Amino acid sequence: MIDWPNVTASSYEELVLKPEELQRSKCVLGFIPVIYYSVLLCVGVPVNILTAVALCRLACRTKKPLYYYLLAVTGSDILSQLFIIFVGFLLETAVFHRDVPTVLLHVVSAAEFAANHASIWSTIPLTVDRYVALCHPLLHRQISYPARARKIIAAVLVLSLTSGIPFFWWSDVWRDSHLPTVLDAVLIWTHVTIIYFLPCSIFLVLNSLIIRKLRIRQRQQPCQEERGPPRRLGKTTAMLLALTSVFSVLWAPRTVVVIYHLYVSSVHQDWRVHLAYDLSNMLAMLNTAVNFFLYCFVSRPFRSVVRDIVLLRGGPLHPRRPLPQQQAPNNASNSSLYSGNNKRSRRDSTPLSPRRNRKPS
C-alpha cells in the first residue's frame, strides 16, 4: 500500500549511495504509475462522490439497510483514494520523493492501511445482510433496520481504523535493503490475512450458501408467477457477487507478490518482483473505482437516481404519496359512500314503526 515504485535519484545522491543501495532494483515502468494513478484519482473520486450522493438519495427514499452498507463501502473507497493514491503516492513519492520526516511516513502508512481495511471490511456486513435476507427472511425482518445498520457500520469502521495502528512499523520494501525481519513477517501475514484471506473466506462461504438457497427456491417454485420475487432478490445477489468477485480477482496478485517477497526474492533487489509489485498495486487500487459501474449495470433504481443527479433533477427523497388535492375527492367519495352505507344500515337496523306493524283491518 505505501510501498510505491522507486524514483530516479539525482546524480549527486548516486555518488554518496552505499554499495547495497546501488544494487536496488530499478523501476521498469518509469512514469507510467504516476500517469495511471493521476487518471485513477481524477476519475475515481468524482465517480465515488456521485455514487455516494445517489446512494444517500436511495437510502433516504427506501430506508433499506442495503443502501447504507453500500454507502459505507463508497465512503471507505474515497478514503483509500485520498490516503493511498493522493497522499501516499502522488505527494510523498512523486512530488517529494519521500524526502519527508520518517515519523510522517509511518503515520501516513498507518492511515493508508486503516483506510484499506475499512474499504474491504465494509463489504462484510453487506454480505451477512444478504445472507440473512435470503436464507432467514423472518429473522431479517426483525434484526435488519437502518438504525442497526448504522451502528454496525460505525463498529466496523472503528475496528478497521484501529487495525491500521500496528502498521506504523511497516517497512519500506522499496528502500530497505535488509532481509525481512520477524516483525516484517508478522505484519505481512497480518496484512494479507486482514485484506484477503479472511474476507475471501467469509465471501466464499456466505455466497455459496446464498446460491444454494436460490437454487432450492427455483426448484420449489415451478410457476412463473411465483418465480418473480426470487428474480428481484437475484439482482441484489448479482450485485453482491460482482463486488466480491472483482475484489478477489484484483487483490489476488498483490497478495501473492507480498508473500513471494517475504520468502523468495526481495522487491529491493529483483527488478522482476519490483515490476510485479507495481502492477499488482495498480490492479488493487483499481478496485476503488469500479463499483459505480457495477451498480449501474445491475441496479435500475441506481441508474435512475444517477440520471436525475446528472440532469440536475431533484428526485423525491421519500416514497411517493398522493397529493392532498388528490386525496380530498377520494376522501369525499369514501366519506359519502361510508355515510350512505351508514344511513342504509341504520334504516335497515331500525325497528319498524307501529304504523307499519299494524295489519290492515
Side-chain angles (χ1 to χ4, degrees), residues 27-306:
C27 180
V28 181
L29 295 178
F31 289 99
I32 293 179
V34 178
I35 300 174
Y36 172 82
Y37 289 117
S38 300
V39 173
L40 186 62
L41 186 69
C42 294
V43 175
V45 172
V47 162
N48 280 331
I49 293 176
L50 177 60
T51 304
V53 175
L55 291 174
C56 282
R57 287 194 177 187
L58 288 172
C60 295
R61 182 183 305 175
T62 63
K63 302 298 181 181
K64 290 183 178 180
L66 168 67
Y67 295 115
Y68 289 93
Y69 293 130
L70 294 177
L71 186 59
V73 174
T74 304
S76 302
D77 287 340
I78 294 175
L79 290 178
S80 297
Q81 291 173 339
L82 293 179
F83 280 107
I84 299 174
I85 298 178
F86 179 68
V87 177
F89 180 79
L90 295 179
L91 285 183
E92 283 188 354
T93 304
V95 177
F96 296 107
H97 302 286
R98 303 186 72 85
D99 188 15
V100 295
T102 305
V103 176
L104 181 60
L105 287 177
H106 289 290
V107 170
V108 173
S109 173
E112 290 171 352
F113 279 100
N116 182 24
H117 296 169
S119 176
I120 294 172
W121 277 86
S122 296
T123 316
I124 301 295
L126 172 64
T127 309
V128 176
D129 180 78
R130 289 298 88 201
Y131 164 74
V132 177
L134 292 175
C135 299
H136 306 282
L138 297 179
L139 178 63
H140 183 264
R141 294 177 184 177
Q142 298 176 0
I143 66 174
S144 181
Y145 47 89
R148 174 166 289 181
R150 289 191 291 266
K151 293 179 181 179
I152 294 175
I153 291 170
V156 171
L157 292 179
V158 169
L159 292 176
S160 300
L161 297 178
T162 305
S163 66
I165 296 177
F167 295 93
F168 177 88
W169 293 274
W170 180 269
S171 297
D172 189 354
V173 298
W174 305 110
R175 299 174 181 273
D176 292 342
S177 58
H178 61 79
L179 295 176
T181 62
V182 176
L183 178 61
D184 294 334
V186 171
L187 290 177
I188 287 176
W189 275 109
T190 303
H191 174 58
V192 297
T193 301
I194 292 177
I195 62 112
Y196 195 77
F197 290 127
L198 188 56
C200 285
S201 300
I202 297 175
F203 295 152
L204 179 62
V205 172
L206 295 183
N207 289 341
S208 300
L209 294 175
I210 289 174
I211 294 174
R212 178 175 175 271
K213 185 66 175 181
L214 290 177
R215 289 181 177 178
I216 293 175
R217 284 188 179 183
Q218 290 178 356
R219 294 173 184 175
Q220 294 176 350
Q221 296 176 348
C223 298
Q224 186 69 21
E225 296 180 356
E226 295 178 353
R227 278 204 296 263
R231 276 207 299 267
R232 186 169 64 250
L233 292 174
K235 290 186 176 181
T236 305
T237 306
M239 181 188 299
L240 173 64
L241 295 177
L243 287 176
T244 54
S245 300
V246 169
F247 162 76
S248 302
V249 171
L250 294 181
W251 276 91
R254 187 181 185 280
T255 304
V256 173
V257 173
V258 168
I259 298 176
Y260 188 89
H261 156 78
L262 180 61
Y263 291 106
V264 181
S265 182
S266 173
V267 174
H268 179 83
Q269 298 177 355
D270 193 339
W271 68 269
R272 291 166 295 186
V273 183
H274 192 152
L275 175 62
Y277 206 44
D278 283 346
L279 296 176
S280 63
N281 280 332
M282 293 165 68
L283 282 177
M285 288 297 98
L286 182 62
N287 186 61
T288 62
V290 298
N291 290 343
F292 170 81
F293 305 100
L294 295 178
Y295 301 158
C296 288
F297 181 75
V298 175
S299 176
R300 181 179 299 177
F302 182 81
R303 292 195 300 268
S304 177
V305 174
V306 169

Side-chain angles (χ1 to χ4, degrees), residues 326-341:
Q326 297 175 354
Q327 286 181 349
N330 294 334
N331 292 339
S333 60
N334 291 337
S335 60
S336 61
L337 180 62
Y338 180 74
S339 61
N341 291 336

